């Protein structure tokens, strides 16, 4: 949390926390700064030498889409990299409407959200989809979902990737909820 929201971390803090050599930390920090994933903040007071500078995660470097397909409706949100919701929409499309209809509604909502935020798919780091039913860990596709007609082995990621050229992950709602609670 310190490096994400609060006052940031100094390079020396990262070296101490990770146990990595100063040069290794310097190289990795440089790569993060060049990629725009980290930003420098304010300098600290010192009694001599170079003033230490805070490093923070650049939470606004990219956006993430999250979609929750529920039994009675679907929710789509656009967040920053740490999950702060920037825009969201509730859709009156349910899991029983079938995967093609639900995914089509998600894409349409995402398009509206991106337009409202003056963003494009180039600003997206990824998409996460939570479904009501088990997901086969080998194929990452729904596995005989009891209330998702036409959903068994449906290629959710491939369907979305055709429209959204971003990394994606799908999990059952139970797994996604457990991960979110950590």
């Amino acid at each position: 949390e310190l490096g994400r929201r609060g006052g940031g971390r100094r390079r020396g803090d990262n070296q101490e926390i990770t146990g990595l050599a100063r040069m290794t930390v310097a190289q990795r920090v440089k790569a993060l700064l060049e990629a725009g994933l980290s930003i420098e903040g304010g300098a600290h007071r010192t009694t001599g030498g170079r003033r230490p500078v805070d490093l923070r995660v650049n939470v606004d470097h990219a956006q993430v889409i999250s979609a929750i397909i529920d039994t009675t409706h679907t929710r789509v949100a656009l967040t920053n990299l740490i999950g702060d919701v920037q825009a969201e929409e509730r859709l009156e499309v349910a899991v029983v409407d079938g995967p093609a209809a639900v995914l089509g509604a998600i894409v349409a909502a995402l398009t509206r959200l991106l337009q409202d935020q003056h963003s494009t798919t180039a600003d997206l780091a990824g998409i996460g989809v939570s479904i009501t039913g088990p997901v086969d860990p080998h194929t990452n596709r729904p596995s005989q979902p009891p209330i998702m007609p036409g959903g068994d082995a449906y290629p959710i990621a491939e369907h979305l990737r055709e429209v959204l050229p971003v990394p994606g992950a799908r999990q059952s709602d139970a797994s996604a909820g457990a991960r979110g609670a950590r």
Side-chain angles (χ1 to χ4, degrees):
E1 192 68 16
L2 177 63
R4 297 189 316 183
R5 293 188 193 264
R9 285 198 179 122
R10 291 175 268 181
R11 291 173 196 245
D13 295 338
N14 290 323
Q15 183 180 345
E16 185 177 312
I17 290 167
T18 63
L20 296 172
R22 185 172 49 148
M23 182 57 81
T24 303
V25 170
Q27 290 170 340
R28 292 182 181 172
V29 166
K30 179 181 177 190
L32 290 170
L33 289 168
E34 288 174 352
L37 292 168
S38 188
I39 54 177
E40 292 182 330
H44 293 270
R45 294 181 186 219
T46 184
T47 57
R50 188 186 318 181
R51 293 176 62 160
V53 175
D54 280 342
L55 297 169
R56 292 182 177 90
V57 173
N58 184 2
V59 299
D60 296 316
H61 175 73
Q63 296 169 308
V64 176
I65 306 156
S66 66
I68 300 170
I69 303 169
D70 206 345
T71 55
T72 59
H73 64 279
T74 296
R75 289 181 293 161
V76 179
L78 191 61
T79 72
N80 65 12
L81 289 177
I82 58 171
D84 295 331
V85 176
Q86 298 169 334
E88 66 183 319
E89 191 171 323
R90 179 185 162 116
L91 308 172
E92 295 306 318
V93 61
V95 70
V96 296
D97 294 324
V102 173
L103 295 174
I106 288 172
V107 169
L110 168 64
T111 301
R112 289 188 297 273
L113 293 175
L114 286 172
Q115 288 173 347
D116 291 349
Q117 295 295 310
H118 305 290
S119 299
T120 68
T121 56
D123 299 313
L124 297 175
I127 181 171
V129 178
S130 169
I131 62 170
T132 57
V135 174
D136 183 316
H138 301 294
T139 65
N140 283 327
R141 292 182 176 184
S143 177
Q144 299 177 345
I147 58 170
M148 187 185 228
D152 188 33
Y154 192 87
I156 294 172
E158 293 84 350
H159 182 112
L160 291 173
R161 199 172 294 124
E162 288 178 16
V163 185
L164 307 169
V166 296
R170 2 346 85 238
Q171 291 188 333
S172 68
D173 53 355
S175 295
R179 186 164 290 200
R182 287 185 193 162

